[in-house]
């Protein structure tokens, strides 16, 4: 079939197999161009490994440090007349590239929140790797089924206490308008914390530790975001921010639990970037458009792969993680630099539909979004017939 993007709001319902493979190949090339990561991880489990920050983490570990990797994700395979999700094609391409270099890679497609998937991954670690020395937790999901009670929790992106009104970008039309978001009600906060907070990260680490599949010196990292004040009502001080606070609670708990192994748990605060998860957050896409323009002009712009390469190379495995006062790793440091923020802040007050392309990088935003689904990559023939059914080698 000929595969074209089909965009519905902030979701693209198609993905291009060769385009996704090219996107993965480009990320691998970035990591390789920086050389080997000395003393990097050797056996890595990535939970949420098929897109965004998790995919880039897996690529950085495998192609930067030569690590064996296991990846867990929730994706849909392709059918004769329907494309797979991007994460499916990404993983197929990742595994083929890993195999070509003799790197072990095995993937699990299922609900990472469930006990069954945890048990399956633990058995696989025992059988194939013995233990893992690094566990990356990079899930982003709108809901979670509690493995003990069966209750389905739903996360919401809402401010807390009062209605939040600010500028917003329609990422399909390029219109800058205003959005008002009603505050959290009822059990919105605990529901969001149950989905995007640390409970499941802790369940994973407890299960892995109880099964004795964590190696001495193991490191585990979960990803967070803080960002500028203009987004705080919807992010840092909103329902999702409460979930991210909960990650820090779990990080401290895991530090204590991992102490006998000389292990360490981290929360890494990453840069705001276009991913499937971030494009669903109100206000943030306009901020990202302004941010990209400033950071690209300064030469400090990074995408997920550069961020994750820097996390492994310059923080986790160089003996100098440079934690902030709260003990978090900050690879959002270049985003949060005062000069960058003051320019973005000034443009925020002035930006409107007419001057968006002058003040912001809306074209860059849209191109990044399409690339997530394998569209707009150089060297891919989008007019050619392509087979949407692609196998992930380790899934058979
Ligand atoms: P993403 O949507 O690209 O990736 C989410 C991953 O989770 C995918 O691999 C998906 O398959 C997997 N997943 C979702 N539900 C699952 C389930 N039930 N079982 C198994 N796998 C499941 O998202 P992302 O933006 O890379 O987000 C990853 C983390 O990084 C999140 O914690 C997010 O808050 C954080 N973060 C994102 C940004 C940003 O700007 N995108 C910035 C800082 C931190």
């Amino acid at each position: 079939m000929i595969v074209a993007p089909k965009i519905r709001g902030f979701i693209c319902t198609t993905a291009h197999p060769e385009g996704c493979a090219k996107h993965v190949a480009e990320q691998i090339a970035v990591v390789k161009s920086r050389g080997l990561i000395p003393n990097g991880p050797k056996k890595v489990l990535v939970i949420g490994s098929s897109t965004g920050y998790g995919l880039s983490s897996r690529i950085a570990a495998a192609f930067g440090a030569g690590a064996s990797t296991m990846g867990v994700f929730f994706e849909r395979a392709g059918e004769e007349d329907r494309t797979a999700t991007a994460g499916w094609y990404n993983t197929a391409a990742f595994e083929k590239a890993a195999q070509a270099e003799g790197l072990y890679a095995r993937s699990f497609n299922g609900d990472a929140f469930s006990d069954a998937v945890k048990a399956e991954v633990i058995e696989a670690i025992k059988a194939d790797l013995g233990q893992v020395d690094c566990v990356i937790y990079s899930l982003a999901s709108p809901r979670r089924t509690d493995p003990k009670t069966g209750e389905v929790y739903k996360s919401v992106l809402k401010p807390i206490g009062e209605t939040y009104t600010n500028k917003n970008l329609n990422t399909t039309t390029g219109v800058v308008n205003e959005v008002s978001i009603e505050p959290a009600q009822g059990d919105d906060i605990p529901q969001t914390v149950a989905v995007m907070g640390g409970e499941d990260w802790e369940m994973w680490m407890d299960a892995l530790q109880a099964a004795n599949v964590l190696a001495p010196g193991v490191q585990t990292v979960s990803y967070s975001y803080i960002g500028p004040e203009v987004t705080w009502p919807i992010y840092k001080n909103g329902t999702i921010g409460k979930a991210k606070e909960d990650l820090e609670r779990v990080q401290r708990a895991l530090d204590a639990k991992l102490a006998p192994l000389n292990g360490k748990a981290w929360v890494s605060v990453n840069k705001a970037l276009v991913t499937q998860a971030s494009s669903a957050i109100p206000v943030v896409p306009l901020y990202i458009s302004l941010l990209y323009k400033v950071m690209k002009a300064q030469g400090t712009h990074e995408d997920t792969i550069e961020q994750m390469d820097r996390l492994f190379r310059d923080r986790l495995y160089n003996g100098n993680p440079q934690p902030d006062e709260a003990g978090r790793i900050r690879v959002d440091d270049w985003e949060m630099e005062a000069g960058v923020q003051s320019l973005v802040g000034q443009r925020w007050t002035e930006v409107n539909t007419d001057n968006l392309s002058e003040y912001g990088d809306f074209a860059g935003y849209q191109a990044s979004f399409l690339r997530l689904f394998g569209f707009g990559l150089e060297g891919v023939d989008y007019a050619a017939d392509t087979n949407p059914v692609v196998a992930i080698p380790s899934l058979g």
Side-chain angles (χ1 to χ4, degrees):
M1 67 194 277
I2 310 286
V3 181
K6 261 192 212 151
I7 297 174
R8 306 262 177 280
F10 49 77
I11 293 171
C12 180
T13 59
T14 53
H16 199 283
E18 282 84 27
C20 289
K22 183 78 198 305
H23 192 206
V24 168
E26 287 184 4
Q27 294 196 44
I28 292 171
V30 168
V31 174
K32 283 186 158 183
S33 74
R34 298 180 174 192
L36 272 182
I37 299 173
N39 308 313
K42 291 288 160 255
K43 296 173 183 178
V44 181
L45 169 62
V46 182
I47 302 156
S49 65
S50 53
T51 55
Y53 273 115
L55 171 66
S56 295
S57 305
R58 191 176 192 186
I59 292 172
F63 294 92
S68 300
T69 61
M70 283 191 182
V72 185
F73 48 80
F74 212 6
E75 302 292 350
R76 193 191 67 229
E79 293 160 30
E80 230 162 81
D81 55 354
R82 188 160 106 141
T83 71
T85 49
W88 181 277
Y89 292 138
N90 291 340
T91 304
F94 170 85
E95 281 201 8
K96 284 173 199 158
Q99 269 183 0
E101 305 223 350
L103 294 171
Y104 171 96
R106 184 165 167 186
S107 304
F108 302 84
N109 187 29
D111 181 7
F113 297 126
S114 70
D115 288 343
V117 165
K118 290 180 177 75
E120 192 188 345
V121 169
I122 286 169
E123 284 316 305
I125 296 173
K126 282 184 185 164
D128 293 2
L129 301 175
Q131 293 182 320
V132 290
D133 55 36
C134 178
V135 180
I136 301 294
Y137 189 86
S138 186
L139 292 184
S141 173
R143 69 188 69 80
R144 166 176 170 234
T145 304
D146 189 307
K148 310 292 175 222
T149 65
E151 187 179 349
V152 179
Y153 307 117
K154 292 199 176 105
S155 86
V156 294
L157 294 157
K158 291 186 185 173
I160 294 173
E162 50 191 51
T163 303
Y164 170 59
T165 302
N166 212 325
K167 289 182 177 175
N168 189 49
L169 171 63
N170 179 321
T171 51
T172 309
T173 60
V175 170
V176 177
N177 53 15
E178 230 178 38
V179 67
S180 281
I181 309 148
E182 296 293 314
Q185 289 179 358
D187 62 357
D188 279 348
I189 297 172
Q191 290 265 336
T192 305
V193 171
V195 180
M196 288 299 287
E199 187 176 53
D200 183 60
W201 182 27
E202 190 167 18
M203 284 180 170
W204 266 101
M205 295 308 294
D206 285 349
L208 294 164
Q209 191 164 12
N212 193 27
V213 294
L214 296 178
V218 65
Q219 300 205 68
T220 182
V221 190
S222 187
Y223 298 142
S224 187
Y225 183 65
I226 295 177
E229 271 184 55
V230 63
T231 64
W232 282 5
I234 189 68
Y235 203 98
K236 177 174 170 288
N237 297 338
T239 48
I240 181 76
K242 290 288 167 204
K244 295 301 185 188
E245 271 173 30
D246 189 58
L247 279 187
E248 295 185 29
R249 172 189 67 78
V250 167
Q251 177 268 319
R252 291 185 291 271
L254 289 177
D255 255 0
K257 290 180 183 179
L258 297 176
L261 286 171
N262 253 325
K264 181 82 188 88
W266 295 104
V267 167
S268 172
V269 184
N270 302 342
K271 178 190 177 188
L273 280 173
V274 183
T275 64
Q276 293 188 40
S278 72
S279 44
I281 308 175
V283 182
V284 166
L286 180 59
Y287 167 71
I288 288 181
S289 299
L290 300 185
L291 180 73
Y292 276 23
K293 182 98 176 186
V294 173
M295 294 187 80
K296 284 180 182 175
Q298 292 203 345
T300 55
H301 175 69
E302 296 173 300
D303 209 332
T304 51
I305 193 61
E306 288 86 0
Q307 279 270 295
M308 294 300 93
D309 182 86
R310 199 151 67 86
L311 172 67
F312 280 87
R313 197 180 292 275
D314 295 351
R315 302 300 164 90
L316 289 176
Y317 292 99
N318 81 341
N320 185 18
Q322 304 166 46
D324 68 8
E325 71 296 340
R328 300 170 295 221
I329 290 180
R330 303 298 295 263
V331 285
D332 66 339
D333 47 354
W334 297 349
E335 170 185 356
M336 297 315 291
E337 203 195 280
V340 170
Q341 284 303 321
S342 86
L343 207 48
V344 172
Q346 187 190 323
R347 291 178 180 180
W348 182 271
T349 60
E350 293 165 12
V351 71
N352 57 40
T353 306
D354 295 334
N355 63 23
L356 177 62
S357 54
E358 186 190 339
Y359 288 164
D361 182 23
F362 180 49
Y365 183 97
Q366 285 190 305
S368 294
F369 180 77
L370 285 171
R371 286 168 62 82
L372 299 177
F373 303 93
F375 298 107
L377 284 110
E378 238 177 79
V380 176
D381 182 358
Y382 290 100
D385 203 28
T386 181
N387 183 0
V389 181
V390 174
I392 294 178
S394 76
L395 295 180

